[in-house]
Amino acid sequence: MHTTLASRFLALRGAAAWLLALATAFVLAGCAGLPPRAADTPVLAIPASNATLLGRAAAHLDAPRDGLSSVRPLIEASFALDARLELIRRAQSSLDVQTYQLGNDKTGRLLLRELRDAARRGVRVRLLLDDFYTSGMDPLLLGLATESNASVRLFNPFVNARDHSATRWMEFLGDFRRLNHRMHNKLFVADGAIAIAGGRNLADEYFLRSEVANFIDFELLMAGPVVAESAAVFDTYWNSDVVYPIETVAINHRTPAVLKADFETATSLRFAPWPDPPGDGDVLGDPPLGLQLLNIPTLQWMRADAHASADSPNKALGVMRHPTESVAQRFHELAATARSSVLVISPYFIPGDEGMARIREGRRRGVQVSVITNSLADSDEPLVNINYNRYRVDMLKLGVELYEVSTQQLKRSGQFRDLLKKARGRLHAKLALIDREWVMLGSMNLDPRSALLNTEFGVRVRSFDLTQALLYAYQLDDIEGVYRVVLKPDGENVQWIGTGDVNNEVLDSEPDSSMLTRFQLLLFSWFVPTDQL
């Protein structure tokens, strides 16, 4: 999920809504602001130790002591959720969880229950959430925070009228400059030994548990030096000036006993059922993490040169102290070294003038550039897609290969037909493969919002084995379930060629979207600055 300024304003329809919004914004501007940030002693990650099972597993994986890390791709959603549950249950010292969205749904509540149980076992739990999607969740989060070993903190929090989404919109309008910056990072670290990084938020639709729309995503299991780097990033955010303990911003009139009882009910099996177990092996033939951890001496992952980095949390203050050290800049620098190919997978893709200049330079050097993104009909942020459309013809003229993910095409492809069933399928993975040697992954989209407004977390991996695994798992050398976008014979317009079945239909207009929808989005896009998308 990638909430833009445009999608926020789309929620406020009609003149009456606008008048109410503006009036309330003026009222809220005079309401209480953020409380003073307490000068607490910094709390730091607990390093990996052989005293824990996960520490011993990481030590075994890192036995060569060659400065490399061990990695394992988490491609299938069921294996990704299962890996988190296994790590939570096996943790003995600490769990550090950072995410943009924790769903108030069966997946989010299941993970909260598991974190609560870990805290009661004596595991130190730190949960760091961006505050944009926590509306109505304060009792749940406070319930977790009542545990003596658990802490919950919020990034760039809302202060007034926290219980309802509508009133939060009003505060957003009244304090737009601050609240428009969000923490988009996703990171999970267990016992300082094993970490998960990638694009998935912690909600039903990221683990194929939604009956409405599900996301196709990617994450990486990691052990070794890259985990220590990731833990240091978490500490920087946890102790930053833009992060607040939930107790300092949430209004609470319940006793700890009541909070715990309500938490118990809300996270019971009725509201947080167990997921279906993963299969015996994923698309690469690897068994679930729990089975791997039963026999540590046989544990084997890919060895790779891997490094983690993140934007400064002060980006939320509108301060880019070291823009050359941003995740976006690191990606551009790595892509500029490409000798043969750059393959970008991004659900939201707006190259902009600078991006087009980079593409032009790469093509001049003979680098093949390929982009996979969402189609207009299947993007959860269609205004982003409308802006991407402005660059399509120019990219195709430069020889860029363009592919757009489509639910209808995916359902014709054997790989996703059974998984999606009646739900929509949308791309959410953020990946780049460079020269089939480097992989960039994490939370960053290739759009202005990721580059300029939101904070992001990324991992850079040098591994031929990992790139080959991704090429195989996603069928990137013979991709299906997408539309291939090409120039029409006139060289000035585009058409779409299906890849989901033997018919390979050819379309001259945006697949699965009406002319009225396209016209409305185009009109609205004229009033939304591109740097807000």
Side-chain angles (χ1 to χ4, degrees):
M1 186 170 293
H2 177 74
T3 302
T4 65
L5 167 66
S7 64
R8 293 165 185 163
F9 282 160
L10 280 173
L12 300 173
R13 296 179 178 178
W18 276 105
L19 291 173
L20 176 62
L22 292 174
T24 310
F26 284 116
V27 173
L28 288 175
C31 294
L34 283 170
R37 181 67 167 81
D40 298 330
T41 301
V43 179
L44 303 179
I46 299 174
S49 167
N50 283 334
T52 68
L53 180 144
L54 298 181
R56 292 191 294 274
H60 168 77
L61 289 167
D62 198 33
R65 298 293 179 184
D66 52 7
L68 301 180
S69 295
S70 292
V71 299
R72 176 197 163 189
L74 289 173
I75 295 167
E76 296 181 48
S78 59
F79 284 79
L81 180 55
D82 180 74
R84 284 179 170 83
L85 296 175
E86 293 292 345
L87 290 174
I88 293 174
R89 292 165 187 168
R90 285 170 166 76
Q92 294 171 269
S93 64
S94 64
L95 289 163
D96 294 333
V97 181
Q98 179 181 18
T99 190
Y100 175 55
Q101 181 190 11
L102 176 73
N104 192 3
D105 55 22
K106 54 182 179 288
T107 298
R109 293 185 178 207
L110 168 64
L111 291 169
L112 283 172
R113 183 177 74 219
E114 294 288 327
L115 290 173
R116 188 276 314 273
D117 291 347
R120 289 185 175 180
R121 294 197 315 267
V123 177
R124 188 189 72 181
V125 173
R126 294 191 292 176
L127 177 60
L128 174 55
L129 303 175
D130 183 84
D131 198 35
F132 193 78
Y133 284 104
T134 61
S135 177
M137 293 186 67
D138 282 355
L140 266 174
L141 300 176
L142 288 166
L144 176 62
T146 59
E147 302 295 332
S148 59
N149 290 313
S151 301
V152 179
R153 294 188 178 183
L154 303 175
F155 182 94
N156 202 12
F158 290 76
V159 180
N160 304 292
R162 294 182 49 81
D163 290 343
H164 304 288
S165 296
T167 48
R168 282 195 176 200
W169 291 120
M170 304 306 107
E171 183 174 355
F172 177 81
L173 290 172
D175 198 2
F176 173 80
R177 185 170 183 177
R178 176 177 72 87
L179 293 172
N180 191 37
H181 295 272
R182 308 312 322 170
M183 181 190 76
H184 198 234
N185 309 35
K186 290 99 175 175
L187 179 62
F188 184 105
V189 184
D191 283 353
I194 297 178
I196 300 174
R200 288 186 179 98
N201 289 298
L202 304 180
D204 285 348
E205 57 267 33
Y206 298 91
F207 299 98
L208 296 181
R209 304 185 78 197
S210 170
E211 297 180 359
V212 179
N214 288 299
F215 288 110
I216 300 165
D217 222 317
F218 173 77
E219 292 173 304
L220 197 66
L221 266 170
M222 307 181 296
V226 69
V227 176
E229 294 177 2
S230 302
V233 167
F234 185 95
D235 286 346
T236 298
Y237 275 78
W238 186 258
N239 298 296
S240 70
D241 291 338
V242 290
V243 167
Y244 289 75
I246 187 170
E247 298 89 345
T248 65
V249 295
I251 298 175
N252 175 43
H253 301 294
R254 310 181 196 189
T255 66
V258 171
L259 285 170
K260 288 184 177 182
D262 290 347
F263 183 96
E264 187 71 32
T265 299
T267 62
S268 64
L269 288 176
R270 175 186 174 189
F271 300 108
W274 302 113
D276 294 333
D280 295 334
D282 63 14
V283 66
L284 300 175
D286 292 327
L289 180 61
L291 291 179
Q292 294 190 43
L293 292 173
L294 291 177
N295 192 358
I296 291 176
T298 65
L299 193 59
Q300 285 188 323
W301 293 355
M302 302 171 185
R303 296 291 288 169
D305 181 16
H307 297 280
S309 62
D311 296 332
S312 167
N314 289 318
K315 192 176 180 182
L317 303 174
V319 178
M320 294 284 284
R321 294 181 180 177
H322 303 288
T324 58
E325 297 179 3
S326 70
V327 175
Q329 184 61 32
R330 290 175 189 269
F331 165 76
H332 295 314
E333 290 174 354
L334 182 59
T337 68
R339 303 180 303 276
S340 60
S341 64
V342 174
L343 169 62
V344 171
I345 301 174
S346 180
Y348 319 111
F349 182 75
I350 303 177
D353 293 340
E354 291 184 7
M356 289 300 298
R358 295 186 184 99
I359 291 172
R360 195 172 292 111
E361 172 58 23
R363 293 295 296 136
R364 186 190 66 78
R365 293 187 289 106
V367 176
Q368 178 56 55
V369 179
S370 305
V371 176
I372 303 174
T373 190
N374 280 312
S375 66
L376 174 61
D378 288 289
S379 175
D380 61 321
E381 293 292 349
L383 279 170
V384 173
N385 193 282
I386 286 289
N387 277 266
Y388 142 77
N389 292 354
R390 297 171 178 173
Y391 300 95
R392 271 193 308 216
V393 169
D394 288 341
M395 285 192 287
L396 290 170
K397 286 181 177 180
L398 289 171
V400 176
E401 294 180 347
L402 287 182
Y403 302 92
E404 296 180 4
V405 174
S406 157
T407 293
Q408 295 307 314
Q409 291 291 306
L410 285 171
K411 288 184 176 181
R412 295 171 186 168
S413 170
Q415 184 178 6
F416 295 102
R417 186 187 302 121
D418 294 335
L419 292 176
L420 294 176
K421 297 179 181 177
K422 295 182 180 180
R424 297 175 68 87
R426 292 165 170 163
L427 178 69
H428 195 260
K430 301 98 164 46
L431 275 170
L433 278 62
I434 299 171
D435 291 340
R436 300 195 174 210
E437 179 182 7
W438 290 92
V439 177
M440 281 286 293
L441 64 109
S443 66
M444 185 190 77
N445 300 297
L446 288 176
D447 60 13
R449 174 158 286 275
S450 283
L452 303 173
L453 299 175
N454 292 347
T455 70
E456 306 289 353
F457 178 86
V459 180
R460 182 179 75 254
V461 184
R462 187 175 190 177
S463 169
F464 176 80
D465 289 341
L466 180 60
T467 56
Q468 291 303 303
L470 295 176
L471 289 167
Y472 169 76
Y474 291 111
Q475 303 174 5
L476 295 176
D477 283 330
D478 186 20
I479 190 167
E480 295 183 355
V482 300
Y483 283 104
R484 183 162 59 92
V485 186
V486 299
L487 285 173
K488 286 184 177 180
D490 63 11
E492 296 298 331
N493 294 283
V494 302
Q495 59 186 187
W496 291 259
I497 301 176
T499 63
D501 57 21
V502 295
N503 295 326
N504 291 340
E505 62 179 343
V506 178
L507 302 175
D508 291 331
S509 60
E510 297 276 358
D512 308 316
S513 66
S514 69
M515 182 178 293
L516 177 60
T517 297
R518 297 194 296 272
F519 181 69
Q520 290 174 331
L521 288 169
L522 180 60
L523 284 179
F524 197 84
S525 70
W526 293 345
F527 301 97
V528 180
T530 301
D531 61 5
Q532 297 293 325
L533 296 172

